[in-house]
Amino acid sequence: MQTKTTKTFYLIPYYVWVVLFVIAPIALIAYYSFFDLSGNFTLDNYLNFFTSVYLKLTLSSFWYAFLITFFTLLIAYPTAYLLTKTRHKQLWLLLIIIPSWINLLLKTYAFIGIFGLYGPVNAFLNVIGFGETQILFTDFSFVFVSVYIFIPFMILPIFNSLDKLNPSLIDASRDLGASSWTTFSKVILPLTINGVKAGIQAVFIPSLSLFMITRLIAGNKVITLGTAIEQQFLVTQNWGMGSTIAVFLIIFMVIIMIITGQRDKGATSYGKNK
């Protein structure tokens, strides 16, 4: 009984943290979503969200989040696989993770200089005869910078899944005559799918709510749910509509987390550590 009481006592800071920094902010956002600019109770904010403007905005946000996640996964999976085959894999993994420690704003401004008309990319294009090209404020620059920023968050969970994979399963597949593609699609990928799902969660969910990168890199040519929330709160001062968009964004995030929820596929390293 004393042990149970002690465990409950140690959980108090966790419950307090969850209430103050998770439940309370969400409840506050939900509360403000039922008020208009004049402070009157209304359901118009929710009705307005289902108009063509906000539905198009939602589809656009999902499309850009999909592109960012797709290209991030396309680069991260083979990178993580190669890392597991290197001698100093932890060192290389650290070098990949280190850029994520740098402030996001600093990295964004660095790309403004790199992609600017007088930056190194345009200087290279001039040398090879293409001339100056407007790279900033385009879909390409937005997706490129976003992929660069999110790559470490995709590589890490995939690397952990691949590193824990029992190598005897791969050897058995090859001994039975399976091709490299069959081994990958039938053995490696299913047993590391939890890492892929964790990476998708870490990339897709924040990609839905990007707003600083859209402002600085893409200008006004890319509008996401995060940008719309920023406009409603800081520009139009319509906290009710901004909170309504935030409520739907939270709902979308929860749905994505449920869809990409991890299920144990039995990818243990028992044979590796035996």
Side-chain angles (χ1 to χ4, degrees):
M1 187 69 178
Q2 185 177 1
T3 304
K4 186 177 181 179
T5 305
T6 304
K7 289 181 179 180
T8 304
F9 176 77
Y10 287 141
L11 287 174
I12 291 177
Y14 168 76
Y15 291 135
V16 172
W17 177 275
V18 170
V19 171
L20 291 179
F21 298 104
V22 179
I23 298 177
I26 293 176
L28 193 62
I29 289 173
Y31 171 78
Y32 276 112
S33 68
F34 291 104
F35 292 91
D36 58 16
L37 276 169
S38 302
N40 301 316
F41 180 86
T42 181
L43 295 176
D44 289 345
N45 293 327
Y46 285 90
L47 296 176
N48 290 336
F49 185 85
F50 290 98
T51 59
S52 60
V53 174
Y54 289 103
L55 289 178
K56 185 182 295 185
L57 178 64
T58 302
L59 292 176
S60 175
S61 298
F62 271 88
W63 171 246
Y64 283 113
F66 168 77
L67 288 178
I68 294 168
T69 305
F70 174 76
F71 287 115
T72 303
L73 179 60
L74 195 65
I75 298 171
Y77 201 102
T79 302
Y81 183 79
L82 291 175
L83 283 176
T84 60
K85 303 301 179 183
T86 58
R87 291 183 58 187
H88 306 289
K89 53 187 176 182
Q90 297 298 336
L91 175 61
W92 287 108
L93 182 64
L94 179 63
L95 293 176
I96 292 174
I97 294 174
I98 283 177
S100 65
W101 301 348
I102 302 174
N103 184 271
L104 178 61
L105 186 61
L106 292 177
K107 289 187 287 188
T108 304
Y109 273 112
F111 274 103
I112 292 177
I114 293 172
F115 286 152
L117 291 177
Y118 303 102
V121 174
N122 266 299
F124 174 75
L125 292 177
N126 277 325
V127 170
I128 62 178
F130 281 96
E132 292 183 352
T133 303
Q134 180 63 47
I135 304 175
L136 281 176
F137 312 126
T138 62
D139 291 359
F140 167 79
S141 61
F142 170 66
V143 174
F144 184 93
V145 174
S146 300
V147 168
Y148 167 80
I149 289 172
F150 285 122
I151 271 183
F153 303 103
M154 182 70 79
I155 288 179
L156 187 58
I158 295 176
F159 171 84
N160 289 334
S161 295
L162 287 168
D163 197 43
K164 295 176 181 178
L165 185 63
N166 188 343
S168 63
L169 297 176
I170 301 175
D171 295 336
S173 175
R174 291 172 178 170
D175 290 342
L176 292 173
S179 63
S180 298
W181 171 250
T182 302
T183 301
F184 171 76
S185 60
K186 300 297 184 181
V187 179
I188 298 177
L189 183 58
L191 293 179
T192 58
I193 196 65
N194 282 343
V196 174
K197 289 181 178 180
I200 290 174
Q201 285 186 4
V203 174
F204 193 93
I205 291 176
S207 295
L208 282 176
S209 57
L210 287 174
F211 70 92
M212 184 169 61
I213 299 177
T214 58
R215 288 295 191 194
L216 298 177
I217 300 297
N220 292 321
K221 294 186 177 181
V222 174
I223 304 296
T224 63
L225 289 173
T227 310
I229 293 172
E230 180 203 21
Q231 288 178 339
Q232 294 294 338
F233 274 98
L234 301 181
V235 180
T236 63
Q237 298 290 310
N238 189 349
W239 287 28
M241 194 63 221
S243 298
T244 302
I245 300 172
V247 167
F248 280 101
L249 183 59
I250 293 171
I251 293 173
F252 295 149
M253 290 178 176
V254 172
I255 292 173
I256 294 167
M257 291 180 67
I258 293 174
I259 294 174
T260 58
Q262 296 185 13
R263 293 179 177 83
D264 189 10
K265 295 289 184 179
T268 65
S269 55
Y270 172 76
K272 185 177 180 179
N273 298 327
K274 189 175 179 180

